[in-house]
Amino acid sequence: MSSWLQELFNTSKPIIAMCHLRALPGDPAYDHQRGLDFIVSSARKDLLALQEGGVDAIMFSNEASLPYLTQVAPITIACMSRVIAELRPDIDRPFGVNVLWDPRASIDVAVATGASFVREVFSGVYASDFGLWNLNCGEIVRHQHAVGGAHIKLLYNIVPESAVYLAARNVVDIAVSTVFVAQPAALCVSGLTAGAEASAETLQLVKDAVPGTPVFANTGVHSGNLAETLSIADGTVTGTAFKRDGHIWNEVDVQRVRDFMCIARACRGD
């Protein structure tokens, strides 16, 4: 197993918490009256609550940029970079970025802000609610190196939400070939949408298939299934479970974070 999880997160089974940004300029739901300052202040409140609750890392995402694009506009890259840059003095643990659903943009924002990792769909061809995804990981990784991002860890989402692999390939074959071809830092296994559980069976299949690569449960982990999840996966990417009433668009509830992390620490033997 790669030691980078321990080195970066100071634990072998990190909990990466999503800090969901509100709709950005150019998004249909952008609040023109409140503007970018409101996005920054809202994100800061969530960031501080997540850190106070004890998560191991933060990942910033334009979760409210619905409907998503597979190639975002420059304004999205610029605004996400600005928001994260304004929050940098308040960030006291490792952080990553995810520009939905644009792997190049995610890498660009990571380079601009000093992020340590990126989660995205980097490989494969998918039929999705956002159109046809045709990814070329070779081009994307070369772009990563060209812009000075070789140090950034790439977390490959191999079961992306709202999409299905176009060829008749099972998840084990996808995992094995992705690891061989792309050598990702980690794989992420998702449910149908944000907040939807990835099945324990699928997690176990992927974990068994690529024992030398970290595997994250990417969606749908909550206090009720966390112990089972961490018995299989090498960590979680969690957002909805930390929100008030468990609703994705609510603000972060610090007590829900504390309760979740109490279970995580017990499972890890911290």
Side-chain angles (χ1 to χ4, degrees):
M1 173 62 66
S2 170
S3 63
W4 75 267
L5 295 180
Q6 187 71 44
E7 293 170 357
L8 180 59
F9 302 115
N10 200 33
T11 177
S12 60
K13 288 183 179 280
I15 305 301
I16 300 174
M18 297 302 301
C19 186
H20 295 151
L21 306 184
R22 294 178 182 266
L24 298 164
D27 295 336
Y30 174 59
D31 190 329
H32 293 264
Q33 291 187 327
R34 289 176 164 178
L36 270 170
D37 288 342
F38 175 67
I39 297 172
V40 173
S41 64
S42 298
R44 179 174 285 112
K45 290 176 183 177
D46 282 351
L47 167 67
L48 295 177
L50 291 167
Q51 292 183 159
E52 182 180 342
V55 300
D56 302 302
I58 305 291
M59 181 150 56
F60 297 96
S61 173
N62 58 326
E63 201 76 22
S65 293
L66 291 163
Y68 300 126
L69 296 167
T70 54
Q71 184 176 352
V72 301
I75 187 65
T76 300
I77 299 172
C79 289
M80 282 193 70
S81 297
R82 176 193 159 178
V83 171
I84 297 169
E86 290 202 31
L87 297 176
R88 278 298 302 271
D90 298 304
I91 303 172
D92 64 7
R93 60 208 64 196
F95 74 93
V97 298
N98 181 198
V99 183
L100 297 165
W101 287 95
D102 189 330
R104 287 175 180 256
S106 296
I107 290 168
D108 291 344
V109 174
V111 170
T113 60
S116 300
F117 58 94
V118 164
R119 177 195 65 177
E120 250 303 341
V121 181
F122 294 102
S123 61
V125 182
Y126 299 86
S128 80
D129 293 334
F130 316 111
L132 186 67
W133 295 358
N134 185 7
L135 288 307
N136 187 320
C137 64
E139 291 181 354
I140 295 166
V141 171
R142 282 168 175 79
H143 174 75
Q144 175 194 13
H145 285 254
V147 298
H151 63 286
I152 297 168
K153 302 297 185 184
L154 303 186
L155 281 58
Y156 278 55
N157 189 348
I158 61 166
V159 190
E161 302 99 293
S162 306
V164 62
Y165 205 95
L166 204 55
R169 302 179 68 205
N170 61 54
V171 69
V172 169
D173 289 344
I174 295 169
V176 171
S177 62
T178 299
V179 168
F180 178 80
V181 170
Q183 299 181 322
L187 299 181
C188 294
V189 178
S190 309
L192 180 61
T193 64
E197 289 187 37
S199 75
E201 179 184 3
T202 301
L203 277 172
Q204 190 69 66
L205 286 170
V206 174
K207 184 61 189 169
D208 291 344
V210 290
T213 301
V215 175
F216 282 85
N218 193 47
T219 63
V221 182
H222 51 79
S223 294
N225 65 9
L226 177 57
E228 179 185 19
T229 300
L230 287 183
S231 72
I232 304 169
D234 299 293
T236 79
V237 180
T238 303
T240 301
F242 295 147
K243 302 297 186 69
R244 175 173 52 85
D245 299 326
H247 182 63
I248 186 172
W249 304 123
N250 284 346
E251 74 283 0
V252 171
D253 180 339
V254 68
Q255 189 57 53
R256 290 178 71 97
V257 184
R258 290 193 186 106
D259 293 344
F260 187 101
M261 290 308 300
C262 183
I263 297 170
R265 287 191 293 271
C267 293
R268 300 186 309 206
D270 292 0

